[in-house]
Amino acid sequence: MSGDICQSAVDAVLHRRRRYVVSEHGWPRTGHRRVVRPPASSSTPYTVTTPVEFSLGVFARPENLASAFSELRANGGHAPGEDGLSFHDFSPGELYEALREVSRAIRNGNYKPFPTREVRIPKGDGRFRELRLLRIMDRVVAKALQLALAPYWGRTLPGIRRGIWDIYISLEWTIRCHQRFVLGQDDIRDAFPSARIADVLHYHHQHITQPELLRLIEAVVRGHEGPAHTVGLDQGTPTSPTDMELLLHHCLDLRLEAVDPGHPPLHRYVDNLLYQCRDAQESERVRSLLGETLLPHGLTLKPGDEPVDVRDRSAGRTVLGLIPCWGRNRLQFSVPETGYAKLNIGLLKALDQPNPARASKDVAMGWLRAVGPALSNGSRQVVVSRVRELLLSQGTREASQGELAEVASASWCRWLEKRGRRLGGTTG
């Protein structure tokens, strides 16, 4: 928010927090820290099917912003911003006092986010992903904007509708129809930090003409630095995935199709690029074309691995979290060790939650639901046992072997159903 807008409401929360002495582990030494839980908003988040329907006045209503707050508190990351406040630090009165100030700033056209807090998140392979976490109120504005335009972008940008399982199915469909077994895989180097803000806003202008909406989008995209922020989408901001999808749809997907119609199938999951070829030479040609297409936008590819033939069981290449291999006339999947490492990191983070046992169980269940393609009848028991061992090693006993096996079986069935709708047939 510009100047001191909204700061008085936040200061009230900070003043209340200072009454408690906190130990080095984050727990009070004396007394009991009051944890407040604002009621969930009863209103439905404001959405539009096309930008011309957007109303800044309706968007900025405190009730609509409260809906975004509730959505974030239920499903988003709970880490605080640079002011140290989290979702549960706001009482109902404090929340609506802050939201009214935010609403006024948006309607007056002088909304500006506060500085962010940088956090490094381990990827499980020794590398880190750097997040820049907004303050809660700024996170609410960005989430409300993401929710408002979600129906429109969902229809306009194919990549938003494309999940990892959809890409796995497309890989198998391409193999069956075109016998393209050689898989090339590349990542865009530091895609989010390297994105040019001018390019992102340029492509927004191709879809949106409403000045008020464009000003709000620019304020969220540029963040606290304003016009000085010229490069880099902040990972951790709710709108950043859509902004990146918009950028790559225009500067890669559409341009690639224009310069090389009928090119080998490209399956893109955000900044992960997969392409299916008939041999290594064709794979190298595609990789060169991808690099040439991205370069004018300041984007480059990471040093790539050699393409692999998915019929080679010794290859063991991880693709979007799982290892694919062709066998029994279908793509089969297995979990790499890095997958278990990421699960372990998630379980360690769960120990910091108010109910660590419950949070750890939720992490494990969510992980099993995500790796459904690797939970065939032949491998399910081994995977479930590994998950159970990780939970027990951290002292979590709430999830029994039977519960984990039930979730794993349901996940496998969902995968078969989704795959069957596209390809037909089921195999265990």
Side-chain angles (χ1 to χ4, degrees):
M1 282 48 71
S2 179
D4 294 327
I5 292 175
C6 187
Q7 190 59 45
S8 60
V10 173
D11 282 344
V13 185
L14 287 170
H15 177 73
R16 170 169 55 75
R17 286 192 61 182
R18 292 191 188 103
R19 294 181 299 178
Y20 302 94
V21 180
V22 181
S23 73
E24 61 180 336
H25 301 295
W27 297 101
R29 288 200 190 103
T30 59
H32 299 282
R33 179 180 171 191
R34 177 164 65 101
V35 177
V36 291
R37 303 182 184 278
S41 172
S42 59
S43 61
T44 301
Y46 173 61
T47 61
V48 294
T49 57
T50 178
V52 297
E53 300 173 357
F54 184 85
S55 166
L56 190 69
V58 177
F59 170 86
R61 288 174 180 170
E63 295 78 11
N64 179 56
L65 299 177
S67 297
F69 180 95
S70 297
E71 180 80 16
L72 281 168
R73 189 186 59 195
N75 303 307
H78 287 187
E82 53 88 31
D83 60 358
L85 294 179
S86 67
F87 293 99
H88 298 299
D89 287 313
F90 289 84
S91 70
E94 292 163 343
L95 171 62
Y96 275 90
E97 181 184 353
L99 291 180
R100 283 191 289 270
E101 295 294 341
V102 175
S103 174
R104 187 176 298 112
I106 293 172
R107 287 186 278 106
N108 291 343
N110 59 356
Y111 167 75
K112 180 180 179 181
F114 281 100
T116 57
R117 179 171 73 91
E118 295 187 9
V119 177
R120 299 180 76 202
I121 304 297
K123 290 186 174 183
D125 56 2
R127 297 181 299 159
F128 293 87
R129 181 163 59 105
E130 293 189 358
L131 300 184
R132 298 182 66 182
L133 300 182
L134 296 165
R135 289 189 181 189
I136 296 299
M137 290 298 109
D138 293 323
R139 224 174 293 178
V140 165
V141 175
K143 183 63 177 179
L145 182 59
Q146 182 261 319
L147 291 172
L149 295 176
Y152 173 71
W153 292 130
R155 287 196 334 270
T156 306
L157 303 176
I160 288 181
R161 303 189 298 271
R162 188 186 304 125
I164 291 175
W165 288 14
D166 296 307
I167 292 179
Y168 289 155
I169 293 168
S170 294
L171 292 175
E172 182 171 340
W173 184 88
T174 301
I175 290 174
R176 288 188 173 196
C177 295
H178 303 288
Q179 300 297 296
R180 292 180 175 271
F181 291 98
V182 176
L183 183 62
Q185 182 175 3
D186 283 297
D187 289 344
I188 299 175
R189 186 197 302 272
D190 298 325
F192 283 83
S194 301
R196 293 174 179 170
I197 301 302
D199 287 342
V200 174
L201 296 177
H202 169 72
Y203 293 127
H204 272 291
H205 277 262
Q206 290 193 7
H207 293 266
I208 299 170
T209 58
Q210 293 68 28
E212 291 181 332
L213 178 54
L214 287 170
R215 279 197 298 270
L216 178 61
I217 290 172
E218 182 168 0
V220 171
V221 171
R222 291 195 184 275
H224 179 72
E225 297 175 25
H229 183 184
T230 60
V231 178
L233 291 170
D234 292 343
Q235 288 182 278
T237 299
T239 55
S240 289
T242 300
D243 294 332
M244 177 55 66
E245 193 61 43
L246 175 66
L247 174 64
L248 293 180
H249 175 66
H250 281 273
C251 79
L252 181 61
D253 302 347
L254 297 182
R255 289 180 184 271
L256 192 64
E257 187 61 40
V259 300
D260 188 20
H263 58 78
L266 174 69
H267 313 283
R268 183 175 59 78
Y269 184 73
V270 193
D271 55 345
N272 295 278
L273 313 178
L274 302 170
Y275 40 96
Q276 292 174 268
C277 305
R278 293 191 172 87
D279 52 43
Q281 290 74 23
E282 185 178 45
S283 176
E284 185 60 33
R285 183 185 70 81
V286 173
R287 187 176 198 281
S288 177
L289 180 59
L290 290 172
E292 293 171 1
T293 306
L294 290 168
L295 191 59
H297 296 272
L299 301 173
T300 59
L301 298 177
K302 295 179 181 177
D305 296 321
E306 292 295 321
V308 296
D309 192 317
V310 294
R311 294 170 294 189
D312 180 3
R313 289 190 171 274
S314 65
R317 175 73 56 79
T318 300
V319 175
L320 299 178
L322 298 177
I323 300 174
C325 184
W326 186 260
R328 297 171 59 188
N329 198 36
R330 67 182 179 92
L331 273 182
Q332 300 173 319
F333 297 88
S334 58
V335 179
E337 285 302 313
T338 53
Y340 294 109
K342 290 180 180 179
L343 170 60
N344 193 47
I345 290 172
L347 294 175
L348 288 171
K349 290 173 61 179
L351 297 178
D352 294 329
Q353 297 299 315
N355 188 339
R358 181 68 218 181
S360 296
K361 180 179 179 179
D362 290 343
V363 168
M365 297 298 194
W367 186 87
L368 285 170
R369 294 186 183 101
V371 300
L375 299 176
S376 65
N377 297 335
S379 61
R380 188 181 310 138
Q381 184 175 352
V382 173
V383 176
V384 168
S385 295
R386 289 284 300 272
V387 175
R388 174 71 168 158
E389 289 171 5
L390 286 173
L391 285 167
L392 291 176
S393 70
Q394 298 187 13
T396 301
R397 300 181 181 276
E398 282 197 4
S400 68
Q401 186 88 4
E403 286 180 294
L404 295 172
E406 184 177 350
V407 171
S409 178
S411 183
W412 170 248
C413 290
R414 283 194 298 273
W415 160 248
L416 290 182
E417 180 182 359
K418 186 178 185 69
R419 174 181 171 274
R421 286 198 299 268
R422 173 79 181 271
L423 303 175
T426 59
T427 56

